[in-house]
Amino acid sequence: MEYRILGNADLKLSAITYGAFAIGGNMWGGNERKDSIASVRASLDNGVTTLDTAPFYGFGLSEEMIGEAIKGYDRSNIQLLTKFGLVWDGSNSSKGEFFFDAEEAGKKIPVYKYAAKASVIKEVEDSLKRLQTDYIDLLQIHWPDSTTPVSETMEALELLQQQGKIRAAGVSNYSVELVEAARKNLQIASNQVGYSMLNRGIEKDLVPYALEHQLGIIVYSPMERGLLTGKYFKDGKLKEDDHRNGYFGQFDLAKVKTFLDTITPLAEAKNATLSQLVLRWTMLQPAITIVLAGARNAAQATANAQAADIDITPEEMQFIHSALSKI
């Protein structure tokens, strides 16, 4: 495993980081609790020291399972990354910016973007309880909230740092302009954004900015929610409540399949899976600090961790980029 410093923060994180969205259950068709916890522990046992979650993932369930899974491990060797700013119940639900209606047990649950100071502080207290810890290594705003001044949100993060409840502050899904605004108020370590072989928009502005300003980039959805594993083309049936039924429609699936067929021999030559090759490619892109990889069971988690060991030569990288240019 490789370990990398996150931006200008005093945090060394595993380049492959465990992404805990899917184990929360909502929007992913559910998962067995024992398998979820086993996947976290398998990650830790294979060199992954960094776990990324959020209150919204399973409406608290993901954080609760992370807290349960790390029992028995040395907390000082684990970096817990979580978020705030998506609220779905209580008095805050009528505040902020409406995001979308989530579903839980067949019931619609309105979700709002809300990052006012008092709400942020409350969310962190709730997260600390669910994670069963007294500090969070990196706290990130989940999505921008247009109803709250950036300065107010940053003021909350600064207070939490002073109190020792968070070690570093980050943002997520922020434009370069919003990152600039945040950094005028507080030292921001990172921006967590979507990035993959099929979604490379950040290369135009965020990547150059990050390289120039020592900003870490945390990547989510490097596998495009499983599409780049190739499994979808072998067994394309998803559960009815799986959000990917609609999500995959944005891609030219025929071209994606041709691309995956083209690079599959390269993965096989390295005794690697497509997923491992894709994860390693993502890790090697400029300015990318860590890559989130989700897992539903121990076997998937172990395979994700092993992706860090794959070697890709400059010639092989050019071969992949050439194949990508045809999508």
Side-chain angles (χ1 to χ4, degrees), residues 56-295:
F56 170 69
Y57 301 161
F59 302 110
L61 180 60
S62 177
E63 285 187 328
E64 288 176 4
M65 286 194 288
I66 293 291
E68 180 178 343
I70 64 175
K71 287 181 180 178
Y73 290 86
D74 185 345
R75 172 67 177 88
S76 66
N77 291 330
I78 297 172
Q79 302 85 48
L80 295 180
L81 283 49
T82 194
K83 307 176 188 76
F84 67 91
L86 291 187
V87 298
W88 62 88
D89 60 7
S91 60
N92 286 347
S93 292
S94 60
K95 301 177 182 179
E97 174 187 352
F98 177 74
F99 194 13
F100 70 104
D101 284 320
E103 287 195 15
E104 180 78 353
K107 178 183 177 182
K108 282 189 176 182
I109 302 177
V111 177
Y112 289 77
K113 302 174 186 176
Y114 188 55
K117 183 177 179 179
S119 183
V120 175
I121 292 171
K122 179 185 183 302
E123 280 203 71
V124 168
E125 293 300 328
D126 291 342
S127 288
L128 290 171
K129 291 176 183 177
R130 288 189 289 257
L131 291 166
Q132 300 181 56
T133 187
D134 56 3
Y135 71 95
I136 292 161
D137 294 274
L138 178 71
L139 182 67
Q140 309 152 90
I141 181 170
H142 207 149
W143 285 89
D145 166 26
S146 64
T147 69
T148 303
V150 171
S151 58
E152 179 180 340
T153 303
M154 295 304 115
E155 184 181 336
L157 294 176
E158 183 175 23
L159 176 61
L160 290 164
Q161 278 187 302
Q162 292 170 351
Q163 294 174 338
K165 293 181 179 179
I166 67 173
R167 292 179 62 193
V171 296
S172 185
N173 300 300
Y174 261 40
S175 65
V176 169
E177 290 73 23
L178 279 174
V179 171
E180 280 274 75
R183 286 164 69 92
K184 288 178 181 177
N185 294 275
L186 186 67
Q187 179 173 286
I188 295 298
S190 58
N191 189 8
Q192 182 174 147
V193 292
Y195 177 72
S196 75
M197 288 176 161
L198 305 180
N199 173 23
R200 300 170 63 184
I202 65 168
E203 294 176 1
K204 298 176 182 177
D205 54 1
L206 181 59
V207 166
Y209 180 89
L211 290 170
E212 182 179 354
H213 295 89
Q214 200 179 356
L215 178 75
I217 295 181
I218 299 174
V219 168
Y220 68 80
S221 292
M223 305 303 305
E224 284 300 348
R225 311 189 189 190
L227 183 60
L228 290 173
T229 66
K231 295 177 183 176
Y232 176 80
F233 298 104
K234 297 175 182 177
D235 181 11
K237 188 174 179 58
L238 300 169
K239 292 183 179 180
E240 286 187 14
D241 60 346
D242 195 312
H243 73 288
R244 292 173 293 180
N245 285 302
Y247 182 83
F248 289 165
Q250 68 183 289
F251 303 109
D252 186 326
L253 296 178
K255 288 185 177 180
V256 173
K257 183 179 186 303
T258 297
F259 166 70
L260 294 177
D261 289 343
T262 300
I263 67 170
T264 292
L266 177 59
E268 292 174 344
K270 296 178 178 297
N271 293 316
T273 64
L274 265 176
S275 299
Q276 290 171 323
L277 183 66
V278 171
L279 286 174
R280 184 58 174 161
W281 177 91
T282 311
M283 291 170 59
L284 295 173
Q285 299 312 297
I288 304 305
T289 309
I290 63 174
V291 178
L292 306 188

Side-chain angles (χ1 to χ4, degrees), residues 16-71:
I16 291 290
T17 287
Y18 183 92
F21 190 1
I23 67 169
N26 59 328
M27 299 174 65
W28 290 85
N31 200 48
E32 289 290 337
R33 187 183 186 94
K34 62 180 177 57
D35 291 336
S36 296
I37 291 174
S39 70
V40 176
R41 292 175 176 167
S43 295
L44 295 171
D45 293 342
N46 283 276
V48 172
T49 60
T50 312
L51 312 173
D52 179 271
T53 184
F56 170 69
Y57 301 161
F59 302 110
L61 180 60
S62 177
E63 285 187 328
E64 288 176 4
M65 286 194 288
I66 293 291
E68 180 178 343
I70 64 175
K71 287 181 180 178

